[in-house]
Amino acid sequence: MKTELSRKQFDILEILAEENQMLTQRLLADKSNHSLGTVNRVVKELTALGYMNDKGITQEGINALEPYRVKRAVFIAAGFGSRLVPVTLNTPKPLVRVNGKRIIDGLLDAVIEAGIEEIIIVRGYLAEQFDQLLYKYPMIKFIDNPDYNSANNISSAMCARELLCNAYVFEADLLIHNPKIVRKYHYTSNFLGIKMERSDDWCFTAPDGIITSQTVGGLNCYQEVGISYWNEEDGKKLSEHIKSTFEMPGGRERYWDQVPFVFFPEHYKVEIRECLDTDIVEIDTFTELKTIDKAYDV
């Protein structure tokens, strides 16, 4: 049965678990974005519950966080990466090396550092090349997407739809610079976004921190980053709604993330989780790749 932590209690316990030591209340306030008065009250509540003491989080506190632990990471990695031609003619985009390191390795390392042990990669284009990952990451399990060349990435979500409870979903072609954005615990479903005054990319509007719409281009919005977390309840709904959308006329041409925000928005209340443009980047074109890694600029 899920331990009922308030959001503020969760925030403080998560910080203490991450730091693995006691912090001053002022530091807790800075890290949690809660007022000093709020932190003082929550610390008293958590101490009374036995979830923390003057040394930091207790074993009881760790146990209270356990229902919020991420169970698995699902990587969407089946596509062609056509905008990165010619480098993707013989290599799937997630396996392209940037400054000597495969793009997906940074994400996988961050997942493992966060203590997430179950890792699934949905592969399609040049699928056998992903086997090379097993030398470094023997725990990976693969799901082959037979429709990768005839459908959009919703086909990959279809293959893994029953694995989305308490799960991260990653686009596998993101170059991560700040692995701390991949966290061990989440209070509720959320999607990563970069706050922008203007964006021409896929973006969210999120008044009061809750995503209310997904569009291409926007003002005072959050540019969508392909990392999301889905709690148990939303993961179960996604499983059904992905299948329903895929089977709709034209459904095979949709992106998987349109399911909760375009086709079934009334069923979800997903938070925006803000990150910085220095935390992570998607390399969209070969020109951008050459800018980041001069070895390709020949």
Side-chain angles (χ1 to χ4, degrees):
M1 184 174 178
K2 190 171 184 175
T3 305
E4 291 299 329
L5 292 174
S6 72
R7 182 55 182 268
K8 294 181 177 66
Q9 290 173 341
F10 170 85
D11 290 344
I12 300 303
L13 284 181
E14 185 203 16
I15 293 168
L16 292 175
E18 173 71 21
E19 297 293 332
N20 197 30
Q21 63 178 327
M22 188 56 183
L23 301 178
T24 66
Q25 291 193 12
R26 188 167 298 280
L27 273 175
L28 287 172
D30 289 343
K31 287 180 175 289
S32 67
N33 293 319
H34 296 313
S35 70
L36 196 56
T38 296
V39 170
N40 180 269
R41 174 177 56 80
V42 173
V43 165
K44 288 179 180 177
E45 293 172 356
L46 293 172
T47 302
L49 289 166
Y51 294 164
M52 64 175 291
N53 55 31
D54 57 1
K55 295 181 181 179
I57 191 169
T58 64
Q59 184 58 50
E60 289 79 5
I62 294 292
N63 294 343
L65 280 174
E66 188 61 27
Y68 303 91
R69 180 190 281 271
V70 180
K71 290 184 178 178
R72 65 184 62 88
V74 177
F75 287 82
I76 305 297
F80 289 102
S82 56
R83 288 183 292 177
L84 222 61
V85 168
V87 71
T88 50
L89 289 175
N90 300 302
T91 305
K93 186 178 177 183
L95 301 181
V96 169
R97 291 185 181 271
V98 179
N99 297 316
K101 185 176 182 178
R102 292 172 302 212
I103 291 174
I104 197 173
D105 280 30
L107 296 171
L108 290 169
D109 291 342
V111 165
I112 292 167
E113 180 64 25
I116 303 166
E117 298 177 353
E118 186 177 351
I119 301 172
I120 297 98
I121 296 178
V122 184
R123 61 186 182 175
Y125 174 60
L126 298 175
E128 69 284 350
Q129 291 199 22
F130 284 91
D131 288 344
Q132 67 184 267
L133 293 172
L134 295 172
Y135 292 101
K136 184 179 178 182
Y137 309 103
M139 75 293 292
I140 288 175
K141 297 177 182 178
F142 296 114
I143 296 177
D144 291 323
N145 175 4
D147 297 314
Y148 76 92
N149 62 347
S150 62
N152 215 324
N153 72 5
I154 192 172
S155 62
S156 290
M158 266 290 287
C159 294
R161 68 185 186 278
E162 295 179 358
L163 298 170
L164 302 182
C165 294
N166 303 111
Y168 266 118
V169 178
F170 288 89
E171 303 295 335
D173 58 358
L174 298 169
L175 189 64
I176 190 169
H177 298 299
N178 177 15
K180 294 296 185 183
I181 62 175
V182 179
R183 307 197 66 83
K184 182 179 296 187
Y185 306 102
H186 285 285
Y187 193 73
T188 191
S189 301
N190 59 74
F191 218 112
L192 217 59
I194 301 167
K195 197 169 188 178
M196 306 281 285
E197 291 185 2
R198 178 188 181 91
S199 175
D200 297 321
D201 209 331
W202 286 92
C203 57
F204 297 121
T205 52
D208 302 318
I210 302 298
I211 297 171
T212 56
S213 67
Q214 180 194 50
T215 58
V216 179
L219 300 174
N220 298 316
C221 58
Y222 289 89
Q223 185 168 301
E224 182 178 338
V225 176
I227 298 177
S228 56
Y229 171 77
W230 302 90
N231 65 19
E232 184 171 2
E233 179 184 356
D234 288 339
K236 289 177 180 177
K237 288 185 290 187
L238 265 179
S239 179
E240 296 302 319
H241 292 156
I242 287 169
K243 185 174 186 293
S244 297
T245 304
F246 188 77
E247 293 173 349
M248 291 177 181
R252 294 168 61 91
E253 282 70 54
R254 300 297 181 175
Y255 294 100
W256 82 267
D257 49 291
Q258 291 179 290
V259 173
F261 303 121
V262 176
F263 292 98
F264 296 94
E266 67 278 10
H267 293 276
Y268 298 89
K269 189 176 181 181
V270 180
E271 291 185 355
I272 192 73
R273 186 162 68 96
E274 186 175 345
C275 69
L276 304 176
D277 58 4
T278 53
D279 289 332
I280 195 161
V281 64
E282 181 179 4
I283 302 174
D284 284 324
T285 66
F286 186 58
T287 300
E288 291 174 356
L289 176 61
K290 290 191 293 183
T291 300
I292 294 171
D293 187 343
K294 299 301 182 183
Y296 291 100
D297 192 11
V298 292

